[in-house]
Amino acid sequence: MDIIEASIPLFFALIGVELLSAKRRRHQVYRLNDSVADLSCGILSQLTGILLALMTYGIFAWIGARWSIQHWTSLPAWPDGPPLASGANLAGWIVVFLLVDLCYYWSHRLSHEVNLLWAGHVVHHSSEEYNLTVALRQSSLHGLFTWVFYAPLALLGVPWLMFAVCHGLNLIYQFWIHTREIQRLGPLEWFMNTPSHHRVHHGVNPKYQDRNYAGVLIIWDRLFGSFTPEEEEPVYGITRPLGSWNPLWANVHVFVEIFRAAWQTRRWRDKLKVIFGPPSWRPADLGGPVTIPEVRRATFRKFDPEIPAAIRRYTFVQFVVALLAAVALLRYARELTPLQIGVVAFYITLTLSNLGSLLEGARWVGAMEVARLATLVVTAGVLLAFPRFDSALVAAAGLFGIASITWYWRLSRARPLLAAGPGQMTPST
């Protein structure tokens, strides 16, 4: 987690570089609504990631301490000192990095082939754009399932810190490949995962579906038969478009679909297959398997409701404040009480959910937004009575809430017009 947190400034710097590159080439690669939704999912993922990382590394360390192969054989322990301390250490780190990448491949592949795992992973694919903010669009729940794919490394006796570092580096590498601004990279395409290879993975075109699962090395896809080269640029998204900017709904919508389908189908065998079968499978009494239509970029209609500029400006400011609050929470979480962490996390989560709904033009969100801002003001007022809280910071939060209520009240007569519905998988002609 520390490695990923330390990389956050680099992530945003590279997003700025991509924006400048796209502007110079006159490419439109970002939309405010989509990018806010991407980063909102990323923020929620980081908040839950604090607990999920503790769970994953805790389970890994527990398995290693009790069930590693070194407990039952005379095999030596892994050399886990600094990688440059000796040749054995360097070799050990390289082997662990390769094993982590292999485990990631199978974790990723099965997350596309098993519906329950797909429900956790789908968040990352539900954007209809492809840019560096999509790399940060991560699930808040997927870590509940994926730890099991790395358990074999604990059984092999890999120290948990080596695993944590290599796993973090694996995820950081994958950030830069989420871009349309970099084309083919020559010989690197043969063995490394590149933007070209990963664009295929995010495509909903039938020939690109469920291909190129690699983390760092594309050799696993070539070895296990899941590699497809990029031909024309893909259409991005998922076959049943999300049609929402709400990060909470993005995290749970497939779980809801699974529950409904399992509840509605009659046979117990079908109920289980809805959960553990392929994402495209449906029982006969619910219409049968989902057919993936052919699509073309020229005819695909993205989810892009028309929202007044004043609402977009308001949403952007509120999002920036929530983002800063999230960065501060991650930075100082070790120094805060559980109450403080809970209050700030609740404020951030409610804010991101409301802002996503505002960008959709949802009619119901107005009252919820006023309630959110009023809660911020009241909470700030209450916390001022407790000396252990930074009074200047709390007062600033209260004043911001009052100013935002005034601002939103002036916008309350604005009625977002939905000029476009959810993205549609329009058949090619």
Side-chain angles (χ1 to χ4, degrees):
M1 290 299 295
D2 288 340
I3 294 176
I4 295 175
E5 287 176 27
S7 302
I8 290 175
L10 175 63
F11 293 160
F12 281 96
L14 291 177
I15 289 171
V17 171
E18 186 182 38
L19 278 167
L20 291 175
S21 173
K23 183 177 181 180
R24 182 174 62 84
R25 298 186 185 189
R26 297 182 180 180
H27 293 171
Q28 183 181 359
V29 297
Y30 283 94
R31 289 182 290 151
L32 176 66
N33 45 22
D34 183 84
S35 295
V36 166
D38 293 342
L39 294 174
S40 295
C41 290
I43 290 170
L44 295 185
S45 175
Q46 283 297 295
L47 294 182
T48 59
I50 297 172
L51 296 177
L52 291 180
L54 290 174
M55 180 195 76
T56 298
Y57 299 142
I59 293 174
F60 192 97
W62 185 86
I63 293 174
R66 291 165 175 79
W67 300 100
S68 68
I69 194 171
Q70 284 79 4
H71 281 77
W72 315 106
T73 69
S74 59
L75 288 175
W78 285 82
D80 62 345
L84 299 181
S86 69
N89 280 16
L90 180 60
W93 279 91
I94 291 174
V95 171
V96 171
F97 187 85
L98 292 174
L99 290 174
V100 167
D101 199 42
L102 176 60
C103 291
Y104 176 85
Y105 170 86
W106 284 108
S107 169
H108 195 183
R109 179 167 180 165
L110 289 175
S111 293
H112 282 255
E113 297 178 351
V114 177
N115 206 16
L116 181 64
L117 300 182
W118 171 244
H121 181 57
V122 68
V123 179
H124 182 58
H125 284 266
S126 53
S127 171
E128 294 170 348
E129 300 293 344
Y130 191 77
N131 54 53
L132 292 179
T133 62
V134 174
L136 302 178
R137 185 186 181 100
Q138 298 294 331
S139 170
S140 298
L141 303 172
H142 200 214
L144 292 172
F145 311 110
T146 54
W147 65 267
V148 70
F149 292 95
Y150 299 100
L153 301 186
L155 294 174
L156 290 176
V158 173
W160 76 267
L161 186 57
M162 288 183 74
F163 162 67
V165 171
C166 291
H167 185 245
L169 292 174
N170 187 284
L171 297 179
I172 290 170
Y173 174 89
Q174 295 178 54
F175 176 79
W176 75 279
I177 62 178
H178 291 81
T179 184
R180 296 165 57 195
E181 294 301 291
I182 299 175
Q183 299 306 310
R184 302 295 178 89
L185 294 175
L188 290 178
E189 303 285 336
W190 285 100
F191 61 94
M192 300 296 292
N193 196 11
T194 65
S196 175
H197 295 329
H198 204 60
R199 284 193 291 267
V200 167
H201 179 70
H202 278 256
V204 291
N205 314 64
K207 68 179 180 180
Y208 290 156
Q209 286 276 301
D210 300 332
R211 312 298 290 171
N212 297 6
Y213 299 106
V216 175
L217 299 174
I218 201 67
I219 58 174
W220 308 122
D221 286 288
R222 295 183 184 277
L223 180 63
F224 297 116
S226 55
F227 175 72
T228 293
E230 182 183 36
E231 295 175 354
E232 72 277 7
E233 186 178 359
V235 174
Y236 304 109
I238 52 179
T239 54
R240 294 189 296 276
L242 176 62
S244 174
W245 305 125
N246 190 317
L248 294 181
W249 181 240
N251 272 279
V252 303
H253 71 105
V254 173
F255 288 106
V256 173
E257 291 176 7
I258 291 174
F259 175 80
R260 287 174 176 169
W263 180 267
Q264 293 170 358
T265 192
R266 293 186 295 272
R267 300 171 58 193
W268 278 102
R269 185 176 181 180
D270 288 343
K271 292 178 186 293
L272 291 175
K273 195 169 181 179
V274 163
I275 299 172
F276 299 106
S280 61
W281 185 85
R282 290 293 180 274
D285 59 351
L286 296 183
V290 176
T291 301
I292 302 172
E294 188 60 68
V295 291
R296 292 180 181 173
R297 293 185 61 81
T299 56
F300 180 74
R301 188 182 180 191
K302 298 177 182 178
F303 178 70
D304 195 20
E306 183 181 340
I307 302 297
I311 294 292
R312 294 199 299 271
R313 287 192 294 269
Y314 171 86
T315 300
F316 178 75
V317 171
Q318 298 295 323
F319 172 77
V320 169
V321 171
L323 174 61
L324 293 175
V327 171
L329 179 60
L330 291 171
R331 172 65 180 81
Y332 298 106
R334 297 174 182 85
E335 304 171 19
L336 301 177
T337 67
L339 173 62
Q340 291 171 318
I341 293 174
V343 168
V344 177
F346 177 78
Y347 163 77
I348 293 169
T349 302
L350 183 57
T351 297
L352 298 177
S353 176
N354 277 16
L355 297 183
S357 298
L358 277 172
L359 289 172
E360 297 171 22
R363 305 289 181 177
W364 56 266
V365 76
M368 184 68 75
E369 180 65 5
V370 172
R372 176 184 76 86
L373 296 171
T375 300
L376 176 61
V377 175
V378 172
T379 302
V382 172
L383 294 181
L384 283 174
F386 294 85
R388 68 176 179 273
F389 292 95
D390 187 327
S391 57
L393 185 61
V394 172
L399 291 175
F400 174 75
I402 293 172
S404 296
I405 290 174
T406 304
W407 187 2
Y408 190 74
W409 178 79
R410 294 178 63 184
L411 296 175
S412 61
R413 293 187 179 182
R415 292 292 182 265
L417 302 175
L418 296 178
Q424 299 173 8
M425 299 293 290
T426 307
S428 59
T429 56

